[in-house]
Amino acid sequence: MQSLADLVKCRRLVVKVGSALLVERGEPREYWLSMLAQDLWALRQEGPEIVVVSSGAIALGAAKLGLPDGGRRNLADAQAAAAVGQIELARLWSGALAEFDMTAAQMLVTLEDLEDRRRYLNASATLARLIEAGAIPVVNENDSVATEEIRFGDNDRLAARVAQAAGADAVLLLSDVDGLYDRDPREQDAELVERVDGITPEVLAMASGASSSGLGSGGMRSKLHAAQIAERAGITLAIINGTQESPIANAVAADLGTVFLPQRADGARKAWLGGRIAPKGTVRVDKGCAEALKGGASLLAAGVVGVSGAFQRGDLVSVIALSGEKLAQGLAEYGADEVQAIAGKRADEQAERLGYAPRSAVIHRDHMVLL
C-alpha cells in the first residue's frame, strides 16, 4: 500500500476507531457507526479482510454510571466504566455490522497478552480462525482488569500490535484531524504531510501528545509510535479524518490523509520483539558498542557502561547510547545484577565475577532488534 487508493489492494486491514468518534456527550453515534459499517462492507466486497480495534468502552460506561471526567479520574473509575461500557460497545458493533450481514466477534486483550510470546501466538491463532470463519474481530484493551503499570494506554499502539498478530498489510487510524500536520493544525499556516517515508526525530517533533476530545488517551504522538511499530514490521499505516459520515470512502475519494510507508519487513519473531513496548530495564552502551550493534553484532558485556531496572534473564530490555538514543531492544541473557557485575569486562574477566562460565553475549543478535 503506497496511498489511500491502495486500501482495496490489502489482503488484511486493521481499522482503529477512537472514543471521540464513537461517543458524543456520553451517547453513541449510531448513525455514524452505521455509515462506517457500510464502508467496511464495501471494502470487504473489494477483497480486504477486516479487523477492527475500537475504543469507547470507558466513555460509554462512564456516561451510564455518571462518573466524572469521562471515567478517567482514577484507575478504579476507568475499570468500572470499562466493565459497564464494554457490553454496550459490543452491542453497538454487533448491530452495526449485522445491518450489512457481517458478524462481529468481541476480543479483549491486555498488554501482557501481546508481550508474552506464547500468549501472542494464541491471540494470533484466534484472530486467524475468526477471520477464516467470516467474522470481523472487534478488539479492545481489557481496561476492566488492566493496571497503570501493564496496559497499552492507547489503542493506536494496540492497533499496530494487533496488525502484527493478525498478519495485516495495513493499519487505518481514524482521527479527528486529516492526518499529520507539520505543526499544530490549529495554526493558520499548518500543512498536511501526505506521505512519511520513515519516522525521524523531525517527524516526531511535529506531533502533539494531547487528545483534543478529552475522551480518549491517545493523540498524534501515540499515532506516530504506532507507525514506528508498523514500519518495522513491513506494515503501512495511514491516518485519516474520521469525523465525517462514510469516513473511509470520503478519505479515499479525496486522497486525504497521511500514509506512513514501511521501512523494513522483519521476520515474525523480530517484528514481535520490535513491537513490544514494556521493557523491564535498560542497558547503556559506549560508542564503539553502539556502532557494532548497528553493524549487526551481539551486545557484549565489554561495551556496557550502565544498567538500570530489575530485569531477569529472558526479560525484554532496552539498549541505549550514551546520548540517550534508543538503539535496540532484546531479551537479556543475564539478570540486571549479573550485567552490572560484568559491565565493561572482557570475557576472560567475566567468569571470576559471575562464578561460572560466561555466556556468549548480554543480548544475542538473534534475540535483538534495532530500533
Side-chain angles (χ1 to χ4, degrees), residues 13 18 33 48 68 88 99 110 116 143 148 159 163 187 195 206 210 217 220 248 250 279 303 322 327 344 358:
L13 172 69
L33 182 57
E88 177 69 0
E99 287 184 54
T110 64
D116 178 84
D143 288 306
E148 294 291 358
E187 294 184 20
R195 183 175 166 132
M206 299 176 188
S217 52
M220 192 53 67
I248 299 176
N250 283 324
L322 292 172
L327 301 170

Side-chain angles (χ1 to χ4, degrees), residues 6-343:
D6 292 333
L7 274 179
V8 295
K9 299 178 183 178
C10 293
R11 181 183 63 88
R12 189 167 294 167
L13 172 69
V14 172
V15 178
K16 181 262 178 178
V17 181
S19 298
L21 299 175
L22 199 60
V23 184
E24 187 173 29
R25 298 186 182 91
E27 294 295 325
R29 300 177 65 204
E30 295 197 48
Y31 178 72
W32 176 87
L33 182 57
S34 176
M35 299 299 289
L36 174 61
Q38 186 175 42
D39 276 356
L40 299 180
W41 175 83
L43 277 173
R44 283 187 95 188
Q45 304 315 298
E46 296 287 343
E49 297 164 335
I50 306 294
V51 176
V52 171
V53 172
S54 178
S55 305
I58 292 176
L60 290 167
K64 281 190 174 291
L65 295 175
L67 298 175
D69 302 325
R72 296 184 182 274
R73 183 177 58 181
N74 54 50
L75 179 60
D77 278 5
Q79 290 175 323
V84 172
Q86 191 60 48
I87 296 173
E88 177 69 0
L89 185 64
R91 182 193 68 79
L92 287 169
W93 275 106
S94 181
L97 294 177
E99 287 184 54
F100 301 94
D101 295 323
M102 295 183 290
T103 300
Q106 177 181 261
M107 190 168 171
L108 298 178
V109 298
T110 64
L111 175 65
E112 289 187 328
D113 289 329
L114 299 181
E115 293 284 290
D116 178 84
R117 182 65 175 166
R118 183 168 62 92
R119 289 158 70 176
Y120 172 89
L121 292 174
N122 287 339
S124 180
T126 300
L127 286 165
R129 186 65 187 97
L130 287 169
I131 293 167
E132 180 186 25
I136 292 186
V138 180
V139 186
N140 193 10
E141 183 164 14
N142 194 353
D143 288 306
S144 61
V145 299
T147 67
E148 294 291 358
E149 293 79 17
I150 46 172
R151 66 193 304 264
F152 281 95
D154 65 79
N155 273 359
D156 298 314
R157 291 183 298 173
L158 173 59
R161 292 290 272 152
V162 167
Q164 287 181 298
D169 306 298
V171 178
L172 188 62
L173 303 180
L174 274 59
S175 180
D176 56 0
V177 293
D178 292 331
L180 174 68
Y181 283 80
D182 61 353
R183 66 203 72 185
D184 190 323
R186 291 169 292 193
E187 294 184 20
Q188 189 173 3
D189 55 350
E191 295 184 3
L192 180 69
V193 180
E194 296 180 354
R195 183 175 166 132
V196 176
D197 195 3
I199 294 181
T200 62
E202 291 74 24
V203 172
L204 288 171
M206 299 176 188
S208 164
S211 176
S212 60
S213 67
L215 290 177
S217 52
M220 192 53 67
R221 192 169 298 146
S222 76
K223 290 173 175 54
L224 295 188
H225 290 159
Q228 287 179 310
I229 293 170
E231 72 177 18
R232 291 194 291 266
I235 298 170
T236 302
L237 183 141
I239 303 171
I240 65 169
N241 193 324
T243 59
Q244 56 195 326
E245 295 175 7
S246 303
I248 299 176
N250 283 324
V252 171
D255 194 22
L256 187 62
T258 301
V259 175
F260 297 83
L261 301 179
Q263 297 303 294
R264 63 195 201 215
D266 289 344
R269 192 169 187 278
K270 288 260 185 169
W272 168 73
L273 271 175
R276 291 182 65 181
I277 61 176
K280 297 291 182 65
T282 299
V283 174
R284 189 180 295 269
V285 300
D286 62 28
K287 184 177 179 181
C289 183
E291 291 301 317
L293 293 180
K294 292 176 181 179
S298 296
L299 171 55
L300 304 182
V304 175
V305 295
V307 181
S308 63
F311 57 88
Q312 302 297 320
R313 185 186 184 198
D315 284 344
L316 182 75
V317 296
S318 296
V319 182
I320 61 174
L322 292 172
S323 64
E325 176 192 2
K326 193 171 181 180
L327 301 170
Q329 60 187 34
L331 305 181
E333 293 287 344
Y334 296 99
D337 291 344
E338 293 170 306
V339 178
Q340 188 70 63
I342 62 176

